[in-house]
Amino acid sequence: MAKQTVTVGSSVGLHARPAAVIATAAGAYDEEILLSIDGEDPVEATSALMIMTLGADFGMSVDVESENADAVAEIAALIAKDLDS
Amino acid sequence: MIDNASAITGTGVVSGLAYAPALWVNPEPELASKYEALLVEDVRDAEAERWKAAAEMVAARLFQRAATGSGAAADVLSATAALAGDRGLQRATLKMIAAGSTAEAATVAAVGAFIVKFEKLGGLMAERVADLGDIRNRVVSELLGLPEPGVPTPASPIILLADDLAPADTATLDPALIRGIATRLGGPTSHTAIIARQLGIPCIVAAANLADIVDGSVVLLDGFAGTVERGTVPAESESKVLADAERRLAIQSWRGPGRTKDGTAIEILANVQDGAGARIAAGYPAQGVGLFRTELCFLSAQSEPSVTEQASIYGEVLAAFPGQKVVFRTLDAGSDKPVPFVSHPDEENPALGVRGIRLGNVEPGIIERQLDALALAAEQQGIAGAKVMAPMVATLDEARNFATACRARKLSPGIMVEVPSVALLADAFMAEVDFFSIGTNDLTQYTMAADRMAPSLAALTDPWQPAVLALISLSAAAGIRSQKPVGVCGEAAADPLLACILIGLGVSSLSMAPAALAGVGIQLGEVTLSQCQEAAEAVLRTTTTEQARATAREMLSPTIHSNSKE
């Protein structure tokens, strides 16, 4: 199981547009990719709606987990970027 | 207008006239109120397939509409379409169907769970709730075999009626087909109002009795008056709409500068309250700023902003209008508009209390520090003789002391004419300062002794009141005698008909909300200075607001299309 912790880089947080970009990218992998904050219930990265329920604001830490290390790296990088600009 | 004409009233949010048959948006489906296990196991797979097909159909239709739209509208549609296909939503819904729920009930429950979460998160997330509700309604309608809820695509122009419009509804509105919009709910800042403004579609909101109008009923919508009328005379209505369309086109293309038909220059200026507002105003045909309300940076501050902080805010406004006139007004606050760090006395009558220049008595030095900041900003921008005026001046001593403080800082002093005492002794006051600016809202309130906030006193707080016009005339005459400028800032300057009368009385500049500039500018260009002067003389002889308006209209028409409400 690969795991990374990253800081949210989108100024609006993981809101509609950033969440949609992440969900689309996550959908390209077969393996499950999970996101969580502070050890709370993880959500699937393939669902923009579920990502939004995290309520992840700019600057918050998000844990990314998956069997696929490439997937973790890609999704973590997206979370760290400002996707709303 | 014929006998059976009846008007439904709401709040006008986008000016303009439209005349066409009314058409309601398709209603939302009835939603199952609760989620219960109802289906036997054998049919659950088929039910899941039924849901998938419906969700796919909804997403596909939205994506198709996104492809025909463009820009922000297409983005909104794509985002809504993506929600319909969201895997998290799909998983939650299918889980309930697998447990025996109908597809309809599962849709309502699954979306409902997301709505609850988003509302709890608040802020930006809560704004997505309308989109979720929209998706839910579309999927349920599809499952029930009902027409897609939302805006129909009409074959010919219509006036669209709705309870309120969802973002997805407004994304593909075609102004060529949707000539007007009226909603039963919403307000001036609702989504419908914002989109209608962007598209330039005449629009009214909060029309409570809108449901009285049925599909196909031909209506005249007036986005300025905020009315929808049935039973108007067709030929008359159509010619009104045509004239209005020409006028709106002219307003869009008017670039200034302000001048009468015979070429007399009239300064057309903007009212602003901060740098951001000034930069927006600079995009309109404003020749400068006639009123910069400096109180904004004070009203939100917990302690008095330093001179340097103030200077940077004032400098932003100067920078937005380089080389053009900018008139500052010192802090206009009081117990009715309290500044957090000033201890305002407890007053029975705040409008007649410690406000404007009187604030200097309870907070010594506050006005002087504003003048220091302005002098600093002007120096930084290389501006000589920056103009600044004091509000609520009532005595000659106040005017003299203010002028002395300004001149010591190389600023050009003026005063607001709001208290009738200034107008009555206009020559003596003008001798102390460089200019007047008439604040018609407060001058009217103080002349008529009528609270401008009280709706029941609207007939008294009308700048067309003969006594108010007489005081404006006294002030303007003092300007002419001393060859010093007299401007008007306030609602009166934004009324095209009244603007002509003010010019006729001797006013040389008009300052107003940026959106009103072109309308006033166009009107001034259609009349000569002498026509304005003759009309002003005649209006001064009238004895009621009705007579004053009628006289002005008669003498300046047919060129005038007054926006003033009767």
Side-chain angles (χ1 to χ4, degrees):
Chain A
M1 197 76 163
K3 183 174 169 180
Q4 269 191 44
T5 302
V6 281
T7 303
V8 176
S10 292
S11 51
V12 293
L14 298 185
H15 186 234
R17 216 169 104 89
V21 172
I22 293 166
T24 305
Y29 292 95
D30 292 333
E31 295 87 354
E32 195 175 53
I33 306 166
L34 296 173
L35 308 180
S36 60
I37 289 179
D38 285 342
E40 285 178 22
D41 285 346
V43 302
E44 273 192 68
T46 49
S47 164
L49 282 174
M50 294 304 292
I51 294 172
M52 285 193 263
T53 63
L54 286 173
D57 291 330
F58 174 77
M60 282 172 77
S61 289
V62 177
D63 296 323
V64 188
E65 275 183 277
S66 172
E67 295 295 341
N68 185 332
D70 292 342
V72 170
E74 184 183 347
I75 299 304
L78 284 175
I79 292 173
K81 249 169 89 173
D82 186 358
L83 296 171
D84 205 55
S85 55
Chain B
M1 214 178 286
I2 53 180
D3 284 348
N4 63 345
S6 66
I8 285 166
T9 309
T11 306
V13 291
V14 181
S15 287
L17 291 176
Y19 182 68
L23 188 60
W24 281 87
V25 300
N26 290 326
E28 293 171 1
E30 268 190 52
L31 301 173
S33 59
K34 56 184 173 181
Y35 157 61
E36 282 168 351
L38 292 171
L39 299 178
V40 294
E41 281 203 51
D42 303 9
V43 300
R44 290 179 191 175
D45 282 351
E47 189 71 358
E49 290 309 314
R50 195 167 76 86
W51 181 84
K52 282 187 205 163
E56 270 167 33
M57 178 57 82
V58 167
R61 273 202 211 108
L62 288 169
F63 275 126
Q64 196 188 349
R65 280 169 57 199
T68 62
S70 64
D75 288 347
V76 168
L77 284 172
S78 300
T80 311
L83 289 182
D86 188 89
R87 291 207 206 174
L89 178 62
Q90 184 177 36
R91 177 170 293 216
T93 312
L94 293 177
K95 205 170 144 190
M96 291 184 213
I97 293 173
S101 171
T102 62
E104 290 86 349
T107 306
V108 174
V111 175
F114 278 107
I115 288 177
V116 169
K117 281 181 192 160
F118 281 23
E119 279 174 345
K120 210 183 272 175
L121 285 166
L124 283 173
M125 301 300 175
E127 289 175 18
R128 299 268 70 81
V129 165
D131 300 1
L132 283 168
D134 182 48
I135 281 296
R136 175 196 57 207
N137 294 344
R138 284 173 196 277
V139 173
V140 171
S141 288
E142 180 64 25
L143 286 166
L144 294 173
L146 296 172
E148 195 179 17
V151 179
T153 307
S156 56
I158 55 143
I159 288 174
L160 191 67
L161 309 185
D163 279 346
D164 204 356
L165 294 174
D169 291 332
T170 52
T172 51
L173 293 180
D174 177 359
L177 287 174
I178 311 294
R179 294 287 170 83
I181 299 172
T183 66
R184 200 171 62 77
L185 308 173
T189 58
S190 65
H191 188 78
T192 304
I194 292 164
I195 294 286
R197 207 169 283 133
Q198 276 170 13
L199 295 173
I201 300 177
C203 178
I204 78 170
V205 296
N209 296 325
L210 199 62
D212 294 352
I213 298 175
V214 295
D215 275 353
S217 169
V218 179
V219 295
L220 178 66
L221 179 144
D222 183 334
F224 180 78
T227 55
V228 183
E229 279 181 82
R230 283 170 292 182
T232 57
V233 177
E236 217 173 84
S237 306
E238 275 157 17
S239 72
K240 274 189 197 168
V241 169
L242 203 64
D244 175 70
E246 280 172 14
R247 179 174 160 68
R248 278 194 279 160
L249 199 66
I251 284 177
Q252 275 169 20
S253 54
W254 193 79
R255 289 287 169 269
R259 62 164 63 102
T260 58
K261 197 176 180 179
D262 56 319
T264 308
I266 309 293
E267 284 179 307
I268 304 286
L269 309 166
N271 292 349
V272 308
Q273 57 178 4
D274 59 11
R279 287 187 288 275
I280 291 170
Y284 285 85
Q287 292 161 253
V289 172
L291 169 62
F292 170 22
R293 302 182 172 99
T294 56
E295 48 270 15
L296 189 71
C297 68
F298 288 87
L299 296 176
S300 56
Q302 288 311 306
S303 61
E304 188 181 329
S306 71
V307 167
T308 353
E309 277 165 2
Q310 289 184 43
S312 101
I313 294 166
Y314 303 162
E316 276 189 53
V317 175
L318 289 171
F321 287 91
Q324 289 176 295
K325 181 174 183 173
V326 175
V327 182
F328 289 77
R329 182 179 69 187
T330 55
L331 194 53
D332 189 13
S335 53
D336 55 334
K337 237 197 293 181
V339 177
F341 55 87
V342 172
S343 59
H344 296 281
D346 209 8
E347 291 173 325
E348 292 273 332
N349 240 330
L352 301 178
V354 179
R355 39 173 306 211
I357 197 168
R358 302 169 186 179
L359 211 60
N361 301 332
V362 297
E363 193 70 19
I366 191 166
I367 292 164
E368 286 77 4
R369 288 188 288 278
Q370 274 205 290
L371 296 180
D372 287 340
L374 173 55
L376 178 60
E379 193 194 323
Q380 286 166 349
Q381 307 266 339
I383 293 161
K387 295 175 175 55
V388 58
M389 59 189 179
M392 281 297 284
V393 169
T395 69
L396 283 161
D397 276 347
E398 286 168 341
R400 192 176 303 127
N401 292 340
F402 180 74
T404 307
C406 290
R407 292 200 174 104
R409 293 168 175 83
K410 299 197 168 62
L411 301 170
S412 172
I415 53 172
M416 296 279 293
V417 181
E418 295 167 301
V419 182
S421 63
V422 177
L424 292 169
L425 300 180
D427 286 313
F429 276 93
M430 193 57 112
E432 302 294 341
V433 295
D434 295 348
F435 65 94
F436 280 173
S437 181
I438 305 172
T440 49
N441 303 344
D442 272 332
L443 180 62
T444 305
Q445 144 163 298
Y446 296 136
T447 303
M448 304 308 295
D451 185 347
R452 60 193 258 198
M453 301 302 184
S456 59
L457 302 178
L460 289 175
T461 52
D462 181 336
W464 286 92
Q465 280 287 353
V468 177
L469 294 173
L471 291 179
I472 293 173
S473 177
L474 288 178
S475 310
I480 293 171
R481 278 192 291 272
S482 60
Q483 296 190 311
K484 291 178 183 176
V486 175
V488 169
C489 57
E491 300 296 316
D495 172 350
L497 186 61
L498 188 45
C500 295
I501 299 299
L502 295 172
I503 296 308
L505 290 172
V507 165
S508 60
S509 69
L510 300 164
S511 194
M512 65 202 81
L517 289 161
V520 169
I522 287 173
Q523 297 310 344
L524 291 174
E526 291 176 358
V527 293
T528 63
L529 180 61
S530 59
Q531 267 182 297
C532 291
Q533 286 167 337
E534 283 158 27
E537 272 173 42
V539 164
L540 284 179
R541 288 193 295 270
T542 63
T543 56
T544 66
T545 56
E546 292 79 13
Q547 275 179 19
R549 278 196 175 87
T551 302
R553 194 173 291 120
E554 198 178 302
M555 296 187 65
L556 296 165
S557 65
T559 49
I560 294 293
H561 319 266
S562 178
N563 267 355
S564 68
K565 291 190 182 180
E566 302 294 314

